Structures are given as structure tokens and as C-alpha cells.
Amino acid sequence: MTTALLIIDMQIALFSYEDEPLYRGEQVLDNIRGLTDKARRAGAPVIYVQHCSLEDDEFREGCATWPIHPQIAPLETDMIVKKYSWDSFHGTPLQEHLQKLGVQKLVIAGGQTEFCLDTTCRRAYSLGYKNILVRDAHSTLDSKQMTAPQIIAHHEHVLGGRFVELQPAAEVVFA
């Protein structure tokens, strides 16, 4: 079964909020870096999804916080998919690219858990992919209603066993 690593919205913007840091941000970056190393050694495709805002905000294409975080920067051989919605498949070439590669399984990491990550996990499942959500390689920010750890726990409970299999980064294998 061909497996790809899908890294969602790990842009400098998520690390730019001084008053509200990305929960476990450095650990998530370290784990994603480890996943990219494993994927590349196994010859698995590494695909980055980069959020593009139509607003004048930190995700606006071309602004200083829009690039993918330099600690996990893509290689020239990696695909970068620009998206304008929470769904990494909506209006992007992602599905076509995955089909050309014969990908059947996605290892998913990135941010934000309750927005683009959740939406993409559900859409990937509906498209027939077997999904692994890497427990220690996704994150979010606190909201007014819940803390980041509560949001993550809630979404792992809802997604896990239904739309994704949950695994820690150390247990992920690219075949």
C-alpha cells in the first residue's frame, strides 16, 4: 500500500502569536521533521499543504509569516499544495496528485487540529484513503471555549477509530 506524508499548514504564522503560542509547537516541529526523514528514507511522497488567505492577515500569500516553517522546509522534490479553504482537497490538485502516485494511505500531521486538519481527515476518509493521524505531530491554539489540549483530545476522540487511526510519530512506518 503506497503511503504519503501530508503536512498541513505548518507555516510561520502558527508560531507568530506572541500572546497565544501553538501548543507543543517545538515538539510538533521535531516530530514532523522526524516523519519527513522517515518518509524520505522510505521513498514515500512528502506533501505540504500551505494555507492561503484572501484577507490581509498572517496567512496572506507572500507575507513574512506565510512560508512553511523553516525547521521543516520542503525539499525541491516535495509537492506543495496551496489551498484557500479548510479542506486540502477542495479546489486543489491534491487528489489528482495522490491518484497519479497510487497513494492509498495518508499519514497526516500539522495544524490547526479543529480546522484544516479535521476537515482534511474527514474528506480524505470520504475519498477512500486509509488515514493515520499522528498524535504528537498536530496542534492548535487555545480558543475562547477550550484550551488547546482539550481541543486536541476532543478531535482525537471524534476522529480516532472512525476517520483516522491514531499513532504516535515513533510508531509510524512508511511502507
Side-chain angles (χ1 to χ4, degrees):
M1 178 178 296
T2 303
T3 303
L5 174 60
L6 187 64
I7 303 166
I8 301 170
D9 299 349
M10 287 304 292
Q11 293 160 250
I12 296 169
L14 286 179
F15 296 84
S16 67
Y17 309 114
E18 291 178 20
D19 59 330
E20 188 177 5
L22 184 69
Y23 177 67
R24 301 179 315 190
E26 290 303 315
Q27 177 192 11
V28 168
L29 284 171
D30 287 345
N31 289 337
I32 290 175
R33 189 172 36 253
L35 290 166
T36 60
D37 290 346
K38 278 201 255 189
R40 290 176 181 134
R41 279 195 307 272
V46 177
I47 302 165
Y48 290 81
V49 178
Q50 191 170 19
H51 191 77
C52 302
S53 176
L54 298 175
E55 306 297 320
D56 190 18
D57 63 18
E58 64 275 17
F59 286 97
R60 181 136 184 109
E61 188 171 350
C63 78
T65 56
W66 179 72
I68 294 164
H69 197 286
Q71 288 186 33
I72 57 165
L75 301 180
E76 287 184 23
T77 53
D78 299 330
M79 180 182 191
I80 300 173
V81 174
K82 293 180 185 178
K83 68 172 178 58
Y84 294 87
S85 74
W86 291 355
D87 180 350
S88 297
F89 292 92
H90 180 74
T92 74
L94 180 58
Q95 171 69 347
E96 181 182 335
H97 184 69
L98 294 172
Q99 287 178 326
K100 281 181 186 175
L101 296 173
V103 171
Q104 300 163 315
K105 183 177 178 181
L106 295 173
V107 174
I108 301 171
Q112 284 181 259
T113 302
E114 73 275 33
F115 296 120
C116 300
L117 193 116
D118 174 274
T119 304
T120 299
C121 287
R122 292 170 190 255
R123 179 72 183 274
Y125 175 83
S126 72
L127 291 170
Y129 293 98
K130 177 176 173 23
N131 300 311
I132 293 173
L133 176 58
V134 186
R135 295 189 90 134
D136 49 1
H138 72 93
S139 191
T140 194
L141 309 165
D142 290 343
S143 73
K144 291 179 183 176
Q145 293 77 26
M146 299 169 77
T147 66
Q150 290 171 326
I151 293 167
I152 291 166
H154 170 76
H155 283 269
E156 286 182 352
H157 172 74
V158 171
L159 294 171
R162 294 170 186 88
F163 304 99
V164 301
E165 177 185 336
L166 298 167
Q167 284 185 10
E171 293 179 13
V172 173
V173 176
F174 292 90

